[in-house]
Amino acid sequence: MLVNKFKEVWKEITLLSTWIASVAGAFIIPLPSWYASDDNTTFLMKFGVFIATALAGFLILYSLKNKVISVWMRLSINFIVIFVGTYAAYHLARESKTLPYLDKDIVIGNELIETNPFEAFKDSHGFLPARNEQMMIILGDPEKAWTKESIASNRIQLIVLLFLCYLLSAGFIISFCNLMILYKDKYTIKVEKK
């Protein structure tokens, strides 16, 4: 009797610790360096991680109610497929919307300002600088070359994609752990019946 109650509590403890570990990792792991140029970005990232934590908590509550293996199998597959797609989109967006400068990735814009320093560089030197050297010309300040609105838009897109990566990875970890627990229970019941 006591062993059965301990097994039930152990499942809940395992799922809760999985939730805490998967989402709390976002607070422990430092955010990418591209956010350092804007104070509002730090708030948005922390708020996004908080929302991811809350949504993952709802998945934990759902796991306590729903014990159907096929549901958790579909959720696990959906979470991992969407996570891989979102991570690929984040990686590609980060490559196209940031430029390196002194070991940091600085968010750039999509629209150049009218007095564009790259055109002045081309006029004086006869060629455009390479993409990875553009930040050296403007000394790491993207607002000297791109509009503030386009920089802010790219920054928000990167934050949203990173937030979705945190959320989907936490959802996958929780659903996969619950799937493993349910399979273990099913296998244990079959062995005990024999």
Side-chain angles (χ1 to χ4, degrees), residues 54 109 157 166 192:
Q157 289 174 21
Y166 282 138
E192 288 175 0

Side-chain angles (χ1 to χ4, degrees), residues 19-31:
W19 171 56
I20 291 168
S22 64
V23 181
F27 288 106
I28 296 168
I29 297 170
L31 296 174

Side-chain angles (χ1 to χ4, degrees), residues 7-61:
K7 284 182 181 179
E8 287 297 319
V9 171
W10 182 250
K11 290 178 205 174
E12 294 170 6
I13 290 172
T14 303
L15 287 173
L16 288 174
S17 63
T18 301
W19 171 56
I20 291 168
S22 64
V23 181
F27 288 106
I28 296 168
I29 297 170
L31 296 174
S33 62
W34 51 258
Y35 82 89
S37 60
D38 183 17
D39 293 335
N40 293 332
T41 308
T42 305
F43 168 75
L44 290 174
M45 276 307 305
K46 297 295 181 184
F47 181 71
V49 171
F50 171 75
I51 296 297
T53 305
L55 293 175
F58 285 121
L59 189 61
I60 291 286
L61 293 175

Side-chain angles (χ1 to χ4, degrees), residues 60-127:
I60 291 286
L61 293 175
Y62 181 69
S63 72
L64 298 175
K65 180 182 176 185
N66 189 326
K67 303 289 185 193
V68 180
I69 291 176
S70 62
V71 169
W72 292 101
M73 176 75 79
R74 278 193 306 266
L75 280 173
S76 295
I77 290 170
N78 287 339
F79 275 127
I80 193 67
V81 167
I82 297 170
F83 169 70
V84 168
T86 303
Y87 183 78
Y90 170 71
H91 180 72
L92 293 173
R94 186 168 173 165
E95 288 294 318
S96 67
K97 297 178 187 305
T98 63
L99 286 176
Y101 181 71
L102 301 178
D103 298 327
K104 292 183 179 181
D105 293 329
I106 307 294
V107 178
I108 61 171
N110 297 330
E111 298 175 26
L112 292 167
I113 59 175
E114 289 181 23
T115 56
N116 168 353
F118 305 127
E119 289 299 322
F121 183 88
K122 182 180 178 183
D123 292 341
S124 65
H125 292 86
F127 62 93

